[in-house]
C-alpha cells in the first residue's frame, strides 16, 4: 500500500458523471444520460477524480443542468450540485491528463450528497459521508461548516452532510469578539505610546490620536487643563451667580473668565429682569454691576475677581465657597415663562372701540370697482357714536379722528384720517396684511401705547443680552436654537406686541435711525427661527418681503425697512417698484438723506453680511462708522497691488446708487480702512494707473 493511501481500502471504483435535471438529494427522473466512465484503482487522491471528455462536458453545460450523478461500484449513487458551472469546468481540468482534481479552495462552490440504500451495514443511515481524505466543502463566510468527519471515516446516522443554516447569532458574537479584542489592543498600544511620550520629553507626538476599526472611527483626545476645569465645575456642589447689564464691559470680562474656566454660572441681567434690581441693591447696597455671588455669599465685582486670579488663589477659594450645596437664600435662578408685573394703563378709548366692534355693520362692500372686505362707512360709525355717547355729530366725527390717529381704525384707501359720509374704514385687526405680521398674536393691544423711545430701548437691551449669551465673541455666529429656547427671546416676543399702535413720529431723526436698524436686525433673528433660512432667489425674495411686523399701525417687512425707511424709499436691487406708493403715510418716516453706512449696520443672517449689532440713539453715527471699519477689516475689502485690483463686497455693487461712481467709492472707502489697506489703496489711486474692481462672491449660508 502506498504511503499516501495509508488507512484506506484498495477498492476499484467506477464513477459515472452525468447532468440530468433534478433536485438535491432526490433521484432524477428516468431519462437518457450522457455519462463518462472513470476507473480508479488502489487509491483516491485528495480531490474528485475523473476524466470526462471535454466535448461531452461542454454539451452538458449548454443544456443548463444542475446535478451530476456519481455511480460507485458498490451500488451507491449520489448527486452533485454545481453552483458554478464555469468554475467546475475549470477545476476538473486543473491537473494532469490522468486526473482532474478540484482544489479545496474551489470545492466550496460544490455540495456533495450521497444517497445510500438501507443495507445491513448502514441501516437507518440516509446519507454516506465522503471518505475522510476527500476534500470537504467549505461553507461561505457567515455560514456554519458541515459537521466534522468521524475519525474512522464512517458516516454517522445522526449527521447530515450538506449546507447548514446561517448562524446569525454566532456570526454576530464572533464579530463582536473580534471588535472588542481589536479595540482593547488599540487602547493598550495607545497607553504604551503615551507612556513613551511622557518618558521622552523630546517626543513630538500629537495630542489627538486617531485609529480606524472596521466600520467605526474612534478619536481619543488627551485631557487638557481646560477639561480639568470643566470637570472641576461639574464636581462643585454650589452655584455661581452674578448680576449684570447689557453692553457692560466689566460684565463681559466676568462672563469670558468664567467660560474659560469651564464653570457653570447663572447670569441675572437686570435689563432683562428689571424687578431683580431691587434685590441687587438689598444684597450689595449698590446697583452697580457686575456683582458675583458664590452660593449666598457676595464675592465682589471684577476688581475682586482679577485680584484673586492674579494671586493664584481663585481655585482654592472657589472650592472653599462652593464645597456645600447652594442654600435657599442664594440669588434665585430666573424662571422661564414668568413676566415681571408692570404698570399698564388701559387706553381711554377702548370702551368706545368695544361698542363699535359690536354695533357696526362690518361687511364686504363694492367701491371704485373693487370689493373692499370687512369695512364700514364713516356715516354708520358717526350714528353709533351719537347714540352711545348722546353727543352731537361734530363731536362724534372728532372722536372718530382720535380713533384713527391711535390706529384703531384706518381708511381702506389711506385717503384721510376720518370723515363723515360715504367713506369706508376698517378696524386694524381686519387689515389684509395682518396674517403676515409675526408680532400679531390674535388681537390688537388695547393698552395705552408706550412711547416708541422706551419700547426701542427695551428691545435693544433684550437683544443685546441675547447676543452676549448666544453669539460667538466676534458676533459672526449665532446659536439660533439656543436663542429660540431662551427666556430672553420669549420676553422679546412679548415686547414686540407693544409695537402695534406705537407713535413713531415722536422719535428724533437719530432715534428713528437706530430704532429701525435695531428692529431690522431683531426681525432677521426672529425670521430665521420662525421660517428658517431661505434657499434660492425666490425664497430669499419672500424672506425679505413676506416676513412683517405691525408697527405703528402699518406693516413693515425687512425690505420695507431697508429700502423704504433707511434708503428714503428707493427701489430695491433688481426691482422696478418703490416700497411706498403715493400717499403712503410711511414715507413721512423715511430718512431725509441716504447714509451709505447703514449697509454696514444691517445683518441679514448670512456669513457675508456685516456682524449683528444694536445701536444707541445717542451714538448711532459713531457706531455705524465703527461697524464699517470692522466690516472692511474682516474681509469686506482687499487690495492686490501686483494685479492692481481691488476686491469689494457685493453689497456695494447692489447699492451702487448709494455709494456713487467707482472712483468715488474707492475714495470714500479710504476713510474706513486700516493703515495697511489704506496705504495700498492710496498707492493705486496716486500713480494714475488703471484700477480693476472685482466684486467678491456672496456667501448666502446662515451665520450659525
Amino acid at each position: 500500500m502506498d504511503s499516501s493511501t495509508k488507512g484506506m481500502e484498495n477498492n476499484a471504483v467506477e464513477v459515472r458523471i452525468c447532468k440530468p435535471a433534478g433536485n438535491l438529494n432526490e433521484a432524477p427522473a428516468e431519462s437518457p444520460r450522457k455519462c463518462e466512465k472513470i476507473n480508479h484503482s488502489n487509491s483516491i487522491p485528495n480531490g474528485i477524480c475523473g476524466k470526462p471528455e471535454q466535448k461531452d462536458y461542454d454539451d452538458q453545460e449548454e443544456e443548463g443542468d444542475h446535478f451530476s450523478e456519481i455511480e460507485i461500484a458498490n451500488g451507491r449513487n449520489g448527486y452533485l450540485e454545481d453552483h458554478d458551472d464555469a468554475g467546475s469546468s475549470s477545476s476538473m481540468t486543473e491537473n494532469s491528463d490522468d486526473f482532474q482534481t478540484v482544489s479545496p479552495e474551489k470545492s466550496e462552490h460544490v455540495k456533495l450528497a450521497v444517497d445510500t440504500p438501507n443495507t445491513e451495514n448502514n441501516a437507518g443511515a440516509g446519507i454516506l459521508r465522503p471518505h475522510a481524505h476527500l476534500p470537504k466543502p467549505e461553507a461561505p463566510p457567515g455560514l456554519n461548516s458541515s459537521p466534522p468527519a468521524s475519525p474512522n471515516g464512517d458516516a454517522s446516522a445522526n449527521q447530515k452532510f450538506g449546507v447548514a443554516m446561517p448562524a446569525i447569532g454566532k456570526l454576530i458574537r464572533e464579530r463582536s469578539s473580534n471588535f472588542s479584542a481589536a479595540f482593547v489592543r488599540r487602547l493598550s498600544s495607545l497607553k504604551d505610546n503615551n507612556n513613551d511620550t511622557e518618558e521622552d520629553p523630546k517626543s513630538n507626538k500629537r495630542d489627538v490620536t486617531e485609529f480606524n476599526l472596521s466600520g467605526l472611527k474612534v478619536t481619543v483626545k488627551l485631557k487638557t487643563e481646560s477639561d480639568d476645569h470643566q470637570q472641576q465645575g461639574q464636581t462643585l456642589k454650589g452655584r455661581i451667580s452674578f448680576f449684570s447689564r447689557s453692553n457692560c464691559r466689566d460684565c463681559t470680562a466676568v462672563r469670558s473668565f468664567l467660560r474659560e474656566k469651564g464653570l457653570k454660572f447663572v447670569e441675572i441681567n437686570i435689563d432683562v429682569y428689571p424687578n431683580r434690581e431691587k434685590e441687587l441693591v438689598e444684597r450689595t447696597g449698590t446697583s452697580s454691576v457686575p456683582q458675583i455671588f458664590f452660593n449666598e455669599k457676595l464675592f465682589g465685582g471684577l476688581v475682586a475677581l482679577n485680584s484673586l486670579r492674579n494671586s493664584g488663589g481663585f481655585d482654592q477659594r472657589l472650592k472653599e465657597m462652593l464645597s456645600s450645596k447652594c442654600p435657599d437664600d442664594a440669588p434665585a435662578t430666573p424662571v422661564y415663562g414668568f413676566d415681571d408685573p408692570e404698570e399698564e394703563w388701559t387706553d381711554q378709548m377702548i370702551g368706545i372701540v368695544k361698542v363699535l366692534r359690536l354695533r357696526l355693520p362690518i361687511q364686504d362692500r363694492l367701491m371704485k370697482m373693487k370689493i373692499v372686505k370687512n369695512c364700514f362707512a364713516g356715516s354708520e360709525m358717526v350714528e353709533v357714536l351719537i347714540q352711545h355717547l348722546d353727543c352731537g355729530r361734530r363731536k362724534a366725527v372728532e372722536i372718530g379722528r382720535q380713533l384713527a390717529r391711535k390706529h384703531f381704525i384706518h381708511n381702506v384707501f389711506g385717503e384721510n384720517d376720518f370723515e363723515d359720509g360715504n367713506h369706508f374704514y376698517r378696524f386694524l385687526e381686519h387689515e389684509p396684511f395682518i396674517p403676515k405680521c409675526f408680532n400679531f398674536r390674535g388681537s390688537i393691544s388695547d393698552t395705552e401705547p408706550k412711547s416708541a423711545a422706551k419700547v426701542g430701548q427695551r428691545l435693544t437691551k433684550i437683544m443685546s443680552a441675547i447676543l452676549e449669551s448666544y453669539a460667538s465673541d466676534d458676533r459672526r455666529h449665532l446659536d439660533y436654537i439656543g436663542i429660540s429656547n431662551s427666556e430672553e427671546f420669549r420676553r422679546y416676543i412679548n415686547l414686540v406686541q407693544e409695537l402695534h399702535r406705537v407713535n413713531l413720529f415722536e422719535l428724533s431723526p437719530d432715534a428713528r435711525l437706530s430704532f429701525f436698524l435695531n428692529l431690522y436686525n431683531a426681525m432677521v433673528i426672529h425670521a430665521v427661527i420662525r421660517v428658517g433660512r431661505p434657499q434660492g432667489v425666490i425664497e430669499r425674495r419672500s424672506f425679505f418681503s413676506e416676513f412683517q411686523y405691525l408697527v405703528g399701525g402699518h406693516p413693515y417687512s425687512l425690505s420695507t425697512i431697508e429700502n423704504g425707511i433707511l434708503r428714503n424709499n428707493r427701489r430695491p436691487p433688481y426691482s422696478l417698484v418703490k416700497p411706498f406708493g403715493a400717499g403712503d403715510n410711511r414715507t413721512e418716516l423715511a430718512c431725509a438723506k441716504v447714509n451709505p453706512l447703514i449697509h454696514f449696520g444691517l445683518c441679514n443672517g448670512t456669513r457675508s453680511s456685516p456682524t449683528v449689532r444694536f445701536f444707541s440713539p445717542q451714538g448711532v453715527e459713531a457706531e455705524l462708522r465703527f461697524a464699517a471699519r470692522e466690516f472692511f477689516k474682516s474681509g469686506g475689502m482687499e487690495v492686490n497691488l501686483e494685479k492692481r485690483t481691488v476686491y469689494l463686497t457685493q453689497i456695494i455693487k447692489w447699492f451702487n446708487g448709494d455709494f456713487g461712481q467707482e472712483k468715488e467709492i474707492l475714495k470714500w472707502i479710504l476713510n474706513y480702512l486700516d493703515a495697511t489697506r489704506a496705504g495700498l489703496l492710496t498707492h493705486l489711486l496716486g500713480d494714475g494707473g488703471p484700477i480693476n474692481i472685482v466684486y467678491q462672491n456672496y456667501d448666502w449660508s446662515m451665520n450659525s
Side-chain angles (χ1 to χ4, degrees), residues 9-286:
E9 296 179 2
N10 292 334
N11 295 328
V13 181
E14 179 179 325
V15 180
R16 293 177 180 272
I17 301 177
C18 58
K19 301 181 71 125
N23 296 327
L24 182 65
N25 294 334
E26 200 175 279
E30 296 290 337
S31 61
R33 302 171 184 172
K34 295 182 180 180
C35 302
E36 297 295 334
K37 274 190 177 184
I38 305 171
N39 293 325
H40 306 273
S41 62
N42 296 332
S43 63
I44 300 176
N46 290 334
I48 298 177
C49 300
K51 187 178 180 182
E53 294 181 7
Q54 188 66 29
K55 180 177 181 303
D56 289 342
Y57 186 80
D58 294 338
D59 292 340
Q60 296 166 13
E61 293 257 301
E62 294 177 358
E63 294 174 10
D65 297 326
H66 303 289
F67 293 92
S68 297
E69 179 182 358
I70 301 177
E71 295 184 0
I72 308 175
N74 60 9
R76 299 174 182 174
N77 56 39
Y79 308 99
L80 179 67
E81 178 181 348
D82 190 353
H83 286 269
D84 190 349
D85 290 343
S88 299
S89 176
S90 62
S91 64
M92 294 184 68
T93 60
E94 184 175 343
N95 291 335
S96 67
D97 295 335
D98 294 334
F99 299 100
Q100 283 79 25
T101 303
V102 180
S103 63
E105 291 80 0
K106 295 183 179 180
S107 67
E108 66 179 1
H109 299 288
V110 180
K111 291 181 286 185
L112 180 65
V114 179
D115 187 12
T116 61
N118 292 332
T119 62
E120 294 178 359
N121 297 332
N122 58 351
I127 295 178
L128 177 64
R129 296 182 55 80
H131 199 278
H133 283 242
L134 288 176
K136 300 177 183 179
E138 296 181 4
L143 299 178
N144 283 337
S145 61
S146 57
S150 59
N152 58 3
D154 296 335
S156 174
N158 297 327
Q159 293 177 332
K160 303 295 182 181
F161 179 70
V163 179
M165 293 300 291
I168 303 300
K170 183 177 180 181
L171 176 62
I172 294 176
R173 289 193 297 271
E174 291 176 354
R175 291 290 177 88
S176 300
S177 300
N178 294 338
F179 172 80
S180 301
F183 190 76
V184 171
R185 287 196 300 271
R186 289 290 187 178
L187 288 180
S188 299
S189 63
L190 177 64
K191 183 177 180 180
D192 295 340
N193 293 338
N194 290 340
N195 294 334
D196 296 341
T197 303
E198 293 176 358
E199 295 174 0
D200 184 8
K202 297 182 179 179
S203 177
N204 186 19
K205 294 190 176 182
R206 298 182 302 172
D207 291 340
V208 178
T209 302
E210 298 182 3
F211 53 90
N212 294 320
L213 298 177
S214 178
L216 180 67
K217 181 178 180 180
V218 180
T219 301
V220 178
K221 184 177 179 182
L222 300 181
K223 185 181 292 186
T224 61
E225 184 178 354
S226 61
D227 296 331
D228 293 335
H229 286 304
Q230 291 181 2
Q231 185 176 3
Q232 177 185 358
Q234 294 174 357
T235 57
L236 294 176
K237 298 180 180 180
R239 183 173 67 222
I240 302 174
S241 310
F242 85 96
F243 289 84
S244 66
R245 291 185 186 270
S246 300
N247 297 320
C248 173
R249 230 177 248 184
D250 291 350
C251 297
T252 301
V254 171
R255 192 183 302 111
S256 300
F257 174 77
L258 295 177
R259 288 175 178 173
E260 290 174 1
K261 285 287 188 180
L263 299 172
K264 295 181 179 180
F265 61 91
V266 174
E267 182 175 355
I268 306 170
N269 191 318
I270 58 179
D271 287 332
V272 179
Y273 312 99
N275 284 0
R276 300 295 293 271
E277 185 174 4
K278 182 179 179 181
E279 176 188 352
L280 172 63
V281 174
E282 292 176 353
R283 288 181 177 272
T284 64
T286 179

Side-chain angles (χ1 to χ4, degrees), residues 526-596:
H526 188 188
V528 171
I529 292 173
R530 186 65 184 271
V531 302
R533 187 68 226 163
Q535 304 292 332
V537 178
I538 297 178
E539 289 189 10
R540 283 198 291 269
R541 185 177 294 274
S542 175
F543 180 86
F544 290 105
S545 61
E546 298 298 324
F547 188 89
Q548 300 177 357
Y549 271 11
L550 176 62
V551 183
H554 297 282
Y556 288 89
S557 66
L558 297 171
S559 179
T560 300
I561 293 175
E562 181 177 13
N563 302 293
I565 300 296
L566 300 176
R567 298 185 62 230
N568 193 16
N569 200 27
R570 293 190 178 185
R571 289 189 293 270
Y574 312 110
S575 178
L576 301 177
V577 181
K578 293 182 178 181
F580 302 145
D584 195 321
N585 294 332
R586 292 174 293 180
T587 56
E588 301 178 18
L589 296 171
C591 296
K593 184 180 179 181
V594 178
N595 185 353

Side-chain angles (χ1 to χ4, degrees), residues 479-491:
D479 178 12
Y480 288 100
I481 296 178
I483 294 174
S484 65
N485 296 325
S486 66
E487 171 66 13
E488 293 90 338
F489 186 71
R490 189 195 69 83
R491 295 195 174 213

Side-chain angles (χ1 to χ4, degrees), residues 354-365 372-385 387 423-427 430:
K354 290 181 178 179
V355 172
L356 294 175
R357 287 171 178 167
L358 293 174
R359 296 187 181 182
L360 282 175
I362 300 174
Q363 57 189 0
D364 298 345
R365 303 168 190 261
V372 183
K373 294 185 176 182
N374 299 324
C375 63
F376 55 88
S379 57
E380 295 171 343
M381 178 174 167
V382 170
E383 293 295 334
V384 173
L385 289 175
Q387 294 177 5
H423 302 280
F424 292 107
Y425 302 87
R426 63 163 64 98
F427 287 105
H430 294 155

Side-chain angles (χ1 to χ4, degrees), residues 412-431:
V412 294
F413 298 110
E415 296 176 346
N416 51 54
D417 290 340
F418 182 79
E419 295 291 341
D420 190 4
N422 197 27
H423 302 280
F424 292 107
Y425 302 87
R426 63 163 64 98
F427 287 105
L428 181 58
E429 58 266 27
H430 294 155
E431 291 283 2

